[in-house]
Amino acid sequence: MILRRFIVPKLAAVIQSWLARCCLSLAFGLFSLAAQADLRAQAQAIFGDGSRPVAEPAAAEVALGRKLFFDARIGVDGTSCASCHAAEHGGADGRATAIGAFGRQGSRNTPTIVDIVPQIAMHWTGDRRSLAHQAISSLTAPPAYAHETQQAAVNRMTELADLKADFERVYGEVSAENWGRALTAYQQALTTESDFDRFLQGRADLGEAAKRGLQNFMQIGCAGCHSGPLLGGQSYQKFGLVADYTRYTGSAEDIGRQQHTGKASDYRVFKVPPLKHAVQTAPYFHDGSVSQLSAAIDIMAKVQLGQTLSPAQVSDMVAFLTAASAPMPALLSPPELNRE
């Protein structure tokens, strides 16, 4: 009788309490899964499914492009592609603006070459139509290889017996066009997979701060321009839509894409930069005028969206962009050169 009057009711109460907690935990878990699935679906609609670019360049072309990329014998003064694109700086150079041949100071910040496709065009103003166009133009660009003519650059490569043999094996001859093809293949191969990519694929979750940052990134309006698999690179936009950005960055005047097109409507218009490796490629903006990613986020909200973000919102967006970044690919390193 004592067992039935006292112990059984207490045991029943314990069991009921345990069942209630289990139900609450299950309900919360299901809610969290649903919320995560909804966030993923929203993100997939804006950024894609997290898959890599379709292009699969031939291994021989990639190997030649890699060799050319790091070869300091081709430029007039020893400058190479690798002079401005290093793994330790996220595929960029860590400077406000590039320093090229003979120490010439460029006017614009160096973008990463990792996860560089797909994009609408190359350079901040889109004055290079493609990777090949950029590579070929660099042969005679004063801040880059600084040759007087494309033929002078071709002659230099032809004089190097190992390069001549490599070109002939892969393409049949040394030419500016084949230089562009090889470097295009190499850069197409410089791809990574981030935590955010895996989240979009449905293979991983994001941390709570990163998820809040992603939600804010989409809701506040950042994703209106920074969309697609690279979080940008798909459009042009005026820098300073609602406020003069120079008030916040201290930048000198730069007319942007207008310099390339001559159109008044392109005044202060730049290509929207990809943000996939933003945490690794400071400083920021076309002139490298801002050194901290948190400051760059705060400024963009003000001058593009007319919004003032809280420190917590900025911190969460940094967490999101950290999840969107990834370690540099092993290919972004010098090959073992055979110059016999």
Side-chain angles (χ1 to χ4, degrees):
M1 292 294 293
I2 295 175
L3 180 65
R4 295 178 62 184
R5 290 181 58 190
F6 296 102
I7 297 179
V8 171
K10 288 185 178 181
L11 181 59
V14 169
I15 292 173
Q16 284 182 333
S17 176
W18 178 79
L19 287 172
R21 288 197 298 271
C22 286
C23 290
L24 284 172
S25 296
L26 178 61
F28 181 76
L30 291 173
F31 175 80
S32 297
L33 287 173
Q36 179 173 307
D38 183 55
L39 181 63
R40 180 178 288 115
Q42 293 177 48
Q44 288 172 333
I46 295 171
F47 306 108
D49 61 7
S51 60
R52 294 191 179 195
V54 176
E56 294 184 1
E61 289 186 284
V62 172
L64 176 56
R66 184 183 186 186
K67 182 174 181 178
L68 297 175
F69 187 91
F70 287 95
D71 201 321
R73 301 173 296 168
I74 300 169
V76 171
D77 75 333
T79 296
S80 70
C81 300
S83 300
C84 294
H85 300 283
E88 59 265 31
H89 295 295
D93 62 7
R95 303 184 180 103
T97 58
I99 297 177
F102 305 107
R104 294 187 181 104
Q105 186 80 42
S107 61
R108 299 218 170 94
N109 182 256
T110 299
T112 182
I113 55 154
V114 178
D115 293 305
I116 199 170
V117 292
Q119 290 194 63
I120 193 172
M122 300 297 117
H123 280 195
W124 281 96
T125 60
D127 60 324
R128 300 289 189 263
R129 297 184 302 275
S130 63
L131 287 172
H133 185 210
Q134 155 58 19
I136 294 169
S137 298
S138 71
L139 290 172
T140 54
Y145 285 83
H147 286 283
E148 290 293 327
T149 64
Q150 287 182 15
Q151 189 57 50
V154 170
N155 291 344
R156 172 68 66 88
M157 289 184 279
T158 303
E159 291 167 359
L160 299 168
D162 59 304
L163 288 189
K164 183 174 183 293
D166 290 339
F167 269 103
E168 290 176 346
R169 185 179 67 256
V170 177
Y171 296 121
E173 65 175 350
V174 182
S175 70
E177 290 71 23
N178 289 335
W179 155 272
R181 290 170 67 186
L183 283 171
T184 294
Y186 173 60
Q187 291 174 86
Q188 286 176 334
L190 294 174
T191 61
T192 67
E193 186 176 83
S194 69
D195 287 343
F196 182 53
D197 291 323
R198 288 184 282 273
F199 172 78
L200 291 172
Q201 295 165 14
R203 297 195 295 116
D205 194 6
L206 295 177
E208 291 304 314
K211 284 192 283 192
R212 290 194 303 268
L214 169 60
Q215 190 74 63
N216 282 330
F217 194 87
M218 294 188 294
Q219 288 183 345
I220 291 170
C222 309
C225 294
H226 292 282
S227 57
L230 306 183
L231 282 69
Q234 305 300 309
S235 62
Y236 299 103
Q237 187 57 266
K238 181 179 179 179
F239 191 11
L241 276 177
V242 298
D244 182 354
Y245 72 88
T246 63
R247 290 171 46 202
Y248 299 93
T249 65
S251 301
E253 179 59 77
D254 189 327
I255 64 175
R257 187 165 161 77
Q258 186 181 30
Q259 182 181 9
H260 171 52
T261 66
K263 297 179 181 179
S265 58
D266 282 333
Y267 174 66
R268 289 190 175 181
V269 168
F270 297 90
K271 183 182 71 177
V272 175
L275 299 182
K276 183 165 184 178
H277 293 283
V279 299
Q280 299 152 293
T281 53
Y284 302 100
F285 302 142
H286 63 278
D287 57 354
S289 55
V290 175
S291 61
Q292 299 296 319
L293 181 57
S294 56
I297 292 170
D298 181 66
I299 291 169
M300 286 297 290
K302 287 182 170 71
V303 304
Q304 299 301 108
L305 303 171
Q307 297 198 40
T308 299
L309 302 181
S310 69
Q313 286 176 309
V314 171
S315 178
D316 287 344
M317 284 198 190
V318 170
F320 163 57
L321 292 177
T322 299
S325 298
M328 292 292 99
L331 272 176
L332 190 55
S333 61
E336 293 184 8
L337 299 179
N338 179 11
R339 295 176 175 174
E340 297 179 356

